[in-house]
Structure formats: structure tokens, C-alpha cells
Amino acid sequence: MTKPIKDERCRLLVQCPDGPGIVSAISTFLLEHNANIIESSQYTSDPDYGTFFMRIEFHCKGLLEKRTKLEADFAELAAKFSMDYRFSYHHDIKRTAIFVSKDPHCLMELLWEWQSGDLETEIVCVISNHDDARELVESQGIPFHHTPANKDIREQAEAEQIRLMEEYNVDLLVLARYMQILTPAFVERFEDRIINIHHSFLPAFVGAKPYERAYDRGVKLIGATSHYVTNELDEGPIIEQDIERVDHRDHVDDLKKIGRKVERRVLANAVKWHLEDRVIVKDNKTIVFR
Amino acid sequence: MTKPIKDERCRLLVQCPDGPGIVSAISTFLLEHNANIIESSQYTSDPDYGTFFMRIEFHCKGLLEKRTKLEADFAELAAKFSMDYRFSYHHDIKRTAIFVSKDPHCLMELLWEWQSGDLETEIVCVISNHDDARELVESQGIPFHHTPANKDIREQAEAEQIRLMEEYNVDLLVLARYMQILTPAFVERFEDRIINIHHSFLPAFVGAKPYERAYDRGVKLIGATSHYVTNELDEGPIIEQDIERVDHRDHVDDLKKIGRKVERRVLANAVKWHLEDRVIVKDNKTIVFR
Amino acid sequence: MTKPIKDERCRLLVQCPDGPGIVSAISTFLLEHNANIIESSQYTSDPDYGTFFMRIEFHCKGLLEKRTKLEADFAELAAKFSMDYRFSYHHDIKRTAIFVSKDPHCLMELLWEWQSGDLETEIVCVISNHDDARELVESQGIPFHHTPANKDIREQAEAEQIRLMEEYNVDLLVLARYMQILTPAFVERFEDRIINIHHSFLPAFVGAKPYERAYDRGVKLIGATSHYVTNELDEGPIIEQDIERVDHRDHVDDLKKIGRKVERRVLANAVKWHLEDRVIVKDNKTIVFR
Amino acid sequence: MTKPIKDERCRLLVQCPDGPGIVSAISTFLLEHNANIIESSQYTSDPDYGTFFMRIEFHCKGLLEKRTKLEADFAELAAKFSMDYRFSYHHDIKRTAIFVSKDPHCLMELLWEWQSGDLETEIVCVISNHDDARELVESQGIPFHHTPANKDIREQAEAEQIRLMEEYNVDLLVLARYMQILTPAFVERFEDRIINIHHSFLPAFVGAKPYERAYDRGVKLIGATSHYVTNELDEGPIIEQDIERVDHRDHVDDLKKIGRKVERRVLANAVKWHLEDRVIVKDNKTIVFR
């Protein structure tokens, strides 16, 4: 047995009504197709009449040739259990676009993690409504597009952004402190594929100026939240949250400074888990198989 | 020099408009009165025209005899700098009443910390709108009073509670998961002397059923907040907050179980700091000199 | 389908050399025996030639009657895959003895968690080399045994303790700040069934007086470690660790006070996970399926 | 009163035997010299016969002109109380050299924090025993010096490094994962001015390969420690420590990856506090006035 080749790896994500025999059926299917389970996680939302969720990472010799047959065969099994499912091949590396406005810290953290090999993706472009980050981005060989945007030209801006998303064949959009609101049409086009970082511990301080409001309220911890974007502002499914301690000596600028550290690590975690197919969305919440 | 005797210790809390010479005046005053500074913290809200806050703990031989003169002399200095101030003598141990409803965990944590010598107070009584905790409380030699309370008999209940607070000469009221709302008249009578524990990370989930709402929102962290009670529900000055990590497997009951641990330690910290005169309230926020 | 009855629940713990078909075999076995998987976790130590570990919790109608046949049937499957395995029935509630010396905080935390229904166990007795905790323990209806112990009478003490463990038919021994060293004979008799709390972040400060040594070293965090006891002092498999922040103002007594909080929660977690069969020991380390 | 100009700020650090009148003397001295206290922290190691430590940040109009007289006047006061003291002027910005080997993450974090304006320093050069980081460093306009170093040529390497430290007039040396041991002569020359990051929770895993050893021991948390370098390996005064949670699934490479995040933030904090004159060394420990 030689070291599994990365291209021969795949992840299978399943959700279906719970019932007897699901794990047996899936694991027997994989065995019969000479696929070896590397990692497996499952969760049932409720022991009675709940939903069953599973993430299996497997290895299979000659996977790319077998792929069509594997999927065709699985379709039968899936039908029997009324499964929603998805095969995610390691070979089909996800293509990520990063949207940013002026603050570069979240963008930088993502580039850093990506350079360190911690993000399973190709960063295909960076889009910004300001030109500030151009040098930083282009110096790493990543295309940078300046698409001015504000309330009045939102639709034009989005038309151009959608064109770019299509041109680059983008799988994931990361809003790394992108300070523009997206239109419903845009959001729907990329359902569960836009990850945002909000600079508060949601649902506290939904909307604008969360650090200012945190300061005014006198909180003792500040937080950040990474979530999928939906058409309810800051109400999408939460992927990850974290906090840092602050005290009475910290003014708004200090909160922002401390908050940057939290934002960086919360967004980096959420993006990493999405790229590794660890996140399943259900009823505006996430199951995260860490 | 012998070991300082506890009765010879005192804390001086000061707030006044910032300006030159305050620290010099106070420290020189203490020197001239043969008082030795043990611990000192200060904070200025803004370098220009801000408010100056100070907490000094000092030791002074024969303090109890000198007390009247000390305070009289200080009044002059205080007038000069327009100080709000308070001497808090170690000898005048604070008298605490704990209010509880059905959940005993916060009450138990306080009793525990108190038995371990970690709370500088006398717990003079426990008040509850249920009779459940009687045995637990009385077994420790603490008087227990069952004062039934609900929306309809709120005023009667509070009349009895006020009578008890006066009878026991209470300095601090701790609402250790006391599930009744207090009237404005009650709250005003004990301004900055009622500490509550709210079972969420405020300002998220103000009001009822925070764990249920946290579950519905799919948060990844749950929190607790200890604050002084004001007449705005859950809007009083925050003393302490903390959180615990949860995930998709945690149902409402799990959140409550995990939350109990956070509530216990957040309330215990807030009460401890209040009793040690470490908390100053200003503009609906707290300065906490830890 | 009615709510699963607790007596019809069981956990199956497996470890064996990794290879194809294990999950399929186990899940198909359970399906054929009408057992429904409630929770399942697995881990492979290495994708090539590693060890496979699994914890499955399942529900099965009429489990207690089927139990003998179920185990007999599984023995065949287990032989085929060279499995080490164990069925742990919810019906066979584990019997726990707590050993304590003078400091009661860890004992109290366990009693508290147990009263709150958070520990799946019967606490059958408390053993101490001091008589201090008798009242606390007996007031809860738990037998208390004072078995004086020190270096010189270690063997006599242990003979009596072993007699008690047999009398009470004990499954788990928890050393809740029990300050005596156990002999190799004693430890071997209860392999992987004695849980200790050590008041440091192991492997720092192995042995006596860890807080004093932490103070002398000037550390900025103090910790606690819960581990299974082996015959190497403080070298057994670690189940859980945690820390608290301290600073230059904290003297040894403060470290002890802060440390008590960490010890309490670390030990309570380790005991809880052991009782829920979430911990597997392998090569002096633990797999903890949380 | 206009906004204090940064050049008119100074920090005074004092340690002396405790006794009456110190705070009064210092604060009165500052008042008489028209200096306004902005921030003040103090600590007494023991109420009886302990050491008194103080950090005062003050503002004084025309400070740079008054500086000589201020220091001359203070010398008298200092003599009276047998003070060790130091004036640290905001105007005399500290000059920092960063030493690095192959791993760039700590270097990058420092450059990042410095660019964001969070480090009060000039980074005057980066020294490395490898050439890898040259581009990263020079692209930011910082001189990079490749000084090959190993056991056999240690003295030559250090001679060159000392020459560079003198040429650049360096105040602080930061070992940002610099994997060479320094000679006693080198260390003594920069006493309390070399900050190292060790990739473990000291005193656990002193010396080489801490992540490998942490993996072998099966710890549940990994840590990092930033300390001043002394001639006892990894035994210098600790400035800051922190940890991250790991579990049985994390192999050595995962520990390193997770550890990098901890190392980055621990070192950045320690360097920041040193630069802000918040750290006082005493008896191989630190007082950190945060």
C-alpha cells in the first residue's frame, strides 16, 4: 500500500431523513467500490424523526476514472434514502475570490494562511471598491480588480462583479471586510457560497459601527462572527465566532485594534472549514464537522 | 513593623474632574496621616478634560480611632478638587442578601466562595419566591425567607423584601437567577447595589429565554453577563462577561447546562470585585480596578 | 416509534488494525440486530497501517434480553478484524469511589455535578485519609470511610481500601486531590480506571508543590491536568487540561485559589467523559471522543 | 490646554525598597515640574519590607528642553529612597533588530503589527542565519543581513552581529524563531534586552523539539512563551504565555501549525509591552504593568 495520492481523495456530504441502515448502506457502498474511509463524522438532529448528516472523506485508487460510475451507482442508493448529497473531489480545487474594502487585515490573514498551505484553494482574484490593496495583491501574483461601488451604482458594480465571478469560474466569495451591501439577486446567485466577517459577536450589534456601539454599551468582551450571507443583514447561518477581553481603558480605537485580531482568526477558520467541506447549512444554522 | 491588622485597612475611592496635582494631594494627605498605601489604581477617561478615577487601599495604625478626623480632614481636600469619594473600611464588613428563584447553581457558587473565604462579606439572608432552597441555605446557618412573588403581588412582595433589607441592614443585593422583575421604586432605593446575572452575552438576547433564542440563532458561543440593575431591563452597567464554546450538537438543555458554568463564575467574579470596592459606576459603564 | 428507553442504550468501543470494511461490517451488524445508531465517532491514527478506533452509541429494543446473543454474534466479527472491544450498557451504571485528602473543592464539584444529573454514575463511597469531609459526604447519603494513610502504613491502608473497592464493587476510582502515592500493585489492579487531578499543566511541575514552583518560575498561566494513574508519577495518559491567567500580583495563595477553579472543571470534565465511555487509552495517550 | 504632543511624553520606571512617602514624593515632584500624570501603575511585592515598583507616564510642556534639569532634580529624590529608576522619553524611539532563522511567521507578525502602528519602535534591521526572508524584509525597506551561524562558527557570527548591533545602535533584539544558541558574552552585553519566543508552555519542554515532545506526551493544550534571554536555556524571566487546545487527531505537523498562531500573538504582545516600558525584571521574574 503506497501513500494515498491526493487526487484519489474525495469527500461525500449527505443529509437525509434519519432511519435505520444509512451508515451500513453508505459504508458498504464504499467498500464495494474499493474506497477506504479516512475520516467520518455524523450527526442526527434528533433521535426521533430527525435529519441525518454525514461527512465522509475517502480514498480510492483510480478515483478520477471511476468517478462517473461511482456517482451513477450512488444515485440509486441516494434515491432509496431520499438523500441530498454532494461528492467533493480533492482534484477539483475550489476557486476563491476575496472582496475587500479599505481595511486589509482580513485579506492579509487569508493570503498568509494560503501561502502557508493552510487553505485548500486557489485564490483567483481580489475585488475591491478601493484601489488601496492593489500592490499587496499583485505582488503575490493574484489579479486585482478595482470595481468602484456605492449605493447609487450598486447594480452596475454587481454586474461587473458577476462578470468577473463567471470569468474566473469562482466557487467561493469571501467578504474580507467588504463594506458594501449586496443585492438579493447577487446573494441568491451564490447561495451558501458567500462568507462574511462581521465585527461583532452576533446577534449583538447587527449592522453598522459595532465597535462604537460596543464601546457605548461598556461590554467587557468584543467578538467577531463569520457567517454565510443571506438577504437578512447579518442574519445568515453562523460558521464561527470568537471573542477577546477588553476593559474600561479601551477606547473605540483600541477595540478596533483588538477586534482585528479576532476578525482575522474567525474568518480564517470559517473559510478553512468551508474549503474542507466541513460545513453543512440547514435551517439557517450550520453543522460544522471539525 | 508588625503585620498590618485587617481592621486598620481602608479603601478610598475617588472620582473628580482631571487636573494637575490630584495624586500628589491624595498621597501627601495619606503620608501626613501616617497611612501606608498598599495598592493603588487610577484611570483618566480622557487626557484632556476627562474624569479622574482612583482606588487606593491603605493601612493606618489606630485607624478606627482616627477615622473621624481622617474623614473631616479629607473633606477639605475633596472640596478643592470637586471630588466624589468614599472611604470603605475593612472593619465595616458588607452585608449581602442573595435573591434566588428555582435554579440554585449561582446561589451555591456564592455560598461556596464565601465558605472558602473568597468573598469579603457577611451573607445575612437568602430571599426566594420559592421554598426549594430552604434546606440548603439553613444548613449553613443562614436565614432563609420565602417571599412569594409574581406580577400580581409584586408590590406586596417588595414591601416585605424592603422590610427584610432594612431589618438585616443590607449593603448589597445579589440576584442569583432571581426571575422576578423589580419595580423602579425598589431599584432606585438600592442604586448601584443590586447585582444581577443575565444568562446571555449582553446586549445579545436581552429579556426572556436567552438560551432558547441562542439555540434558534445557531450561535457558536454562549455567554453570561453580570451587571448592576437599573430600570432599563438588562441595560445596566456591565461588570463582567464570559463565554463558553458550543456546537451544533448542543440542544437547548445542553446550552443551559454549559451556561450554568459560565453564569456561576461570571456572577462570582462580579460580586467579589464589588465587595472589594473594585467597581466604580460612571455613565452606565463600569471602571473595574482588578 | 416511541422515545428510546435509556435501558435500551449501549455503547460499543472498538480498536483494531485499520483496513477496509470495518465500518461496513459494524454498521451492518447493528442493522441486522435492529440496533439504531444514535452517535458515532471514529479515528484512524494513521492512514497507512494505523489503528482504527470507534465509539458507537446505539439503541435497541429489548436490548437486555438480546444482550447475550448480541455479544456472542459480535465475537465472530471481532475475531475477523482482530478487534479489542467492549460493550458498555447504559443499564450497568458505573460505580464510582472518590478518594480525597483535606482540600474538598474537587470532591464538592463532583458531588455537585452528580446531583445536577451531569455524571452518569452512582457515587458509592468516599474514602479519605482524613476525617474532615465526613459531614459533607454523609449529609448527602453517601458512605464515608476514614482510612488513615501515610508512607509507613501504606500497605495496610491499601489493603483496607481494596477491601472497600471490592465490597462496593467499584468501577472507577477518582483521586480528587488525594495526596497519597499508590503502590504499583494497587495501580495495576485498577488499570485505566483511576483518574487523578494534578494541580499543574503537565509535564510542567511534576510532583510536589506545583503552585509554589509555578510562583518561583514566574509563569503567566497556571494549569491543571487530569490523567489516568500509572506507576510513573504524573506520567499517565492525559485526559484533559486547562489553564487560567495569573500575573505578578498573584502570590502562592492566590495561585492556589485560582488553581482550585481550574482543578474543579478539569477533573469534572475528565470524569464525565470517562463515565460516558468517551475515552480510549492507547500507548499512554488518550483518544477522547467529545 | 492643547492635545499633548507625543514628544512631550515620558515614562518613569522606579523600583526601590518599600516605605512611606514614595508616591507622595514622586507625584509632588512631577507636579512641581509641571508634569501631568497620564497613566500610573504600582505594585509592592510584599506589604512588609517588600520592593516598590512604579511606572508613571507623564506629559510635560517643553519636555525636551527641561529634560536635563528634570533628571538632575530627580537624582536627589531617587537617592533619598535608594531608587533604581529610568526615564524613557517618547522622543527617543527604541531601535529594534529582529533575528530569524527559516520560519517567517513570527517575523511577519511583527512587521505586520509595526506597519499597523501597534509597535512603538523603528525596526532597524533583520538578521538571519539563512537568506530566505531577504525579499520579504527588503520589500518593506528594512535592511536584511545574512550572517551564517552554527555551532562551529558561533563566535565569528556573533562578532559580526555585535558589529551590526553597534552600527544600528540597537536597543532591543527580538529572536523571532532564531534557532541558534547565543554565547554568554553576547547575552550579557544585552541583558534584559533580548526577547525570545519559545514554542512551548515553559517550563514544560525546555530545549529542542517541543512540539514533537508535546505530541509524544499526549498533551491537550500546546503553548508558547516569550521571555528575556539569560544564560540558562529557556529559563529567563517570562513576559507572556498563551495556549491553544489540541486533540488526539492533531499530529506533530498540526501542532506546529496551531502553535504558529500562539507563537505569533505571544511574541507580539511581549515585544509591544517591552517597547511601551511596561515590563520590569526582578529576580528572574517580570512585573508587567498592562
Side-chain angles (χ1 to χ4, degrees), chain A residues 39 104-106 108-109 112-113 115-118 249 257 260-261 264-265 268-269 272 290, chain D residues 39 104-106 108-109 112-113 115-118 249 257 260-261 264-265 268-269 272 290:
Chain A
E39 193 180 323
H105 55 281
C106 286
M108 283 184 70
E109 183 77 11
W112 163 302
E113 294 282 321
Q115 287 173 314
S116 311
D118 288 351
R249 297 174 300 179
K257 199 173 281 190
R260 284 203 297 261
K261 292 179 203 277
R264 283 159 61 183
R265 66 174 187 256
N269 278 340
K272 182 177 158 67
R290 293 171 64 171
Chain D
E39 193 182 323
H105 55 282
C106 285
M108 284 184 71
E109 184 77 11
W112 164 300
E113 294 282 320
Q115 286 175 314
S116 309
D118 288 350
R249 296 174 301 180
K257 199 173 279 190
R260 284 202 296 262
K261 292 180 203 277
R264 282 159 62 184
R265 64 173 186 257
N269 278 340
K272 182 177 159 66
R290 295 172 63 171

Side-chain angles (χ1 to χ4, degrees), chain A residues 42-46 201-205 214-223 227 234-243 245 247-251 273 283-290, chain B residues 42-46 201-205 214-223 227 234-243 245 247-251 273 283-290:
Chain A
Q42 64 185 79
Y43 165 68
T44 308
S45 61
D46 193 295
F201 184 92
L202 289 176
F205 309 122
Y215 175 75
D216 289 342
R217 181 61 188 93
V219 297
K220 299 300 184 186
L221 306 170
I222 55 164
H227 62 92
D234 299 330
E235 293 287 352
I238 294 171
I239 307 168
E240 170 68 338
Q241 305 188 285
D242 206 354
I243 56 94
R245 194 160 280 276
D247 72 25
H248 59 269
R249 297 174 300 179
D250 295 309
H251 285 254
W273 296 334
D283 296 340
N284 208 46
K285 298 196 206 181
T286 63
I287 288 101
V288 182
F289 287 126
R290 293 171 64 171
Chain B
Q42 64 185 79
Y43 165 67
T44 307
S45 62
D46 194 295
F201 183 92
L202 289 176
F205 310 122
Y215 175 76
D216 289 343
R217 182 61 187 93
V219 296
K220 300 298 186 188
L221 306 170
I222 55 165
H227 63 93
D234 298 331
E235 294 286 351
I238 294 172
I239 307 169
E240 169 68 338
Q241 305 188 285
D242 206 355
I243 55 94
R245 194 161 278 278
D247 71 26
H248 59 269
R249 296 173 301 178
D250 296 309
H251 285 254
W273 296 334
D283 296 339
N284 207 46
K285 298 197 206 180
T286 62
I287 287 102
V288 182
F289 287 125
R290 294 170 64 171

Side-chain angles (χ1 to χ4, degrees), chain D:
Chain D
M1 186 176 172
T2 59
K3 195 91 192 160
I5 298 162
K6 282 235 157 176
D7 268 4
E8 303 191 322
R9 284 197 178 200
C10 180
R11 292 161 196 147
L12 170 59
L13 295 164
V14 168
Q15 60 174 287
C16 63
D18 193 26
I22 305 171
V23 179
S24 169
I26 296 174
S27 55
T28 304
F29 172 90
L30 290 172
L31 179 65
E32 288 168 359
H33 287 77
N34 292 309
N36 202 22
I37 299 174
I38 293 166
E39 193 182 323
S40 166
S41 310
Q42 64 185 80
Y43 165 68
T44 308
S45 61
D46 193 296
D48 302 342
Y49 301 108
T51 303
F52 172 89
F53 301 87
M54 190 169 210
R55 176 190 184 273
I56 290 194
E57 184 157 358
F58 61 87
H59 169 252
C60 181
K61 266 203 185 151
L63 178 62
L64 298 184
E65 296 80 58
K66 294 181 181 170
R67 186 168 159 166
T68 316
K69 172 151 174 46
L70 189 81
E71 295 203 26
D73 291 356
F74 194 79
E76 276 178 57
L77 188 161
K80 190 179 149 200
F81 289 97
S82 308
M83 289 178 181
D84 275 345
Y85 70 99
R86 177 161 59 90
F87 284 89
S88 176
Y89 296 88
H90 205 280
H91 177 261
D92 300 339
I93 192 152
K94 291 189 186 67
R95 300 171 63 79
T96 299
I98 303 176
F99 284 59
V100 68
S101 290
K102 292 207 149 191
D103 282 328
H105 55 282
C106 285
L107 169 64
M108 284 184 71
E109 184 77 11
L110 292 174
L111 294 179
W112 164 300
E113 294 282 320
W114 174 69
Q115 286 175 314
S116 309
D118 288 350
L119 296 183
E120 290 183 3
T121 192
E122 187 172 346
I123 297 183
V124 293
C125 64
V126 173
I127 311 275
S128 180
N129 55 332
H130 296 277
D131 209 42
D132 307 45
R134 180 180 297 277
E135 201 184 309
L136 166 69
V137 171
E138 291 184 344
S139 77
Q140 310 218 8
I142 299 169
F144 178 88
H145 296 276
H146 177 200
T147 59
N150 60 50
K151 252 194 289 187
D152 304 324
I153 54 165
R154 182 150 297 155
E155 286 179 29
Q156 287 158 260
E158 289 194 354
E160 171 64 5
Q161 288 164 351
I162 287 171
R163 198 191 60 72
L164 287 164
M165 297 304 96
E166 285 172 352
E167 182 186 323
Y168 285 108
N169 193 18
V170 164
D171 295 302
L172 173 67
L173 288 71
V174 180
L175 310 187
R177 297 297 307 269
Y178 181 66
M179 306 310 278
Q180 296 291 316
I181 288 178
L182 303 170
T183 65
F186 190 97
V187 170
E188 271 152 35
R189 184 183 275 259
F190 301 103
E191 198 190 354
D192 297 345
R193 294 195 291 144
I194 312 177
I195 295 180
N196 185 41
I197 179 74
H198 183 72
H199 38 316
S200 84
F201 183 92
L202 289 176
F205 309 122
V206 164
K209 298 202 169 296
Y211 290 126
E212 283 79 355
R213 288 151 66 204
Y215 176 75
D216 289 343
R217 181 62 188 92
V219 296
K220 299 300 184 187
L221 306 170
I222 56 165
T225 303
S226 193
H227 62 93
Y228 289 110
V229 174
T230 62
N231 281 317
E232 303 294 317
L233 181 65
D234 299 330
E235 294 287 351
I238 294 171
I239 306 168
E240 171 67 338
Q241 305 188 284
D242 206 354
I243 55 95
E244 280 285 327
R245 194 160 279 277
V246 296
D247 71 24
H248 59 269
R249 296 174 301 180
D250 295 309
H251 286 254
V252 172
D253 279 353
D254 303 302
L255 300 192
K256 286 181 181 174
K257 199 173 279 190
I258 296 165
R260 284 202 296 262
K261 292 180 203 277
V262 195
E263 294 167 34
R264 282 159 62 184
R265 64 173 186 257
V266 166
L267 181 61
N269 278 340
V271 169
K272 182 177 159 66
W273 296 334
H274 176 94
L275 291 169
E276 295 176 358
D277 301 301
R278 297 189 178 280
V279 191
I280 300 178
V281 175
K282 172 77 174 178
D283 297 340
N284 207 47
K285 299 196 206 181
T286 63
I287 287 101
V288 182
F289 288 125
R290 295 172 63 171

Side-chain angles (χ1 to χ4, degrees), chain A residues 89-103:
Chain A
Y89 297 88
H90 206 280
H91 178 260
D92 301 339
I93 191 152
K94 290 188 187 69
R95 300 170 64 77
T96 298
I98 303 176
F99 284 58
V100 69
S101 290
K102 292 209 149 190
D103 282 329

Side-chain angles (χ1 to χ4, degrees), chain A residues 139-156:
Chain A
S139 76
Q140 309 217 9
I142 299 169
F144 178 89
H145 297 275
H146 178 200
T147 60
N150 60 51
K151 253 193 286 186
D152 304 322
I153 55 166
R154 183 151 298 156
E155 286 180 27
Q156 286 159 259

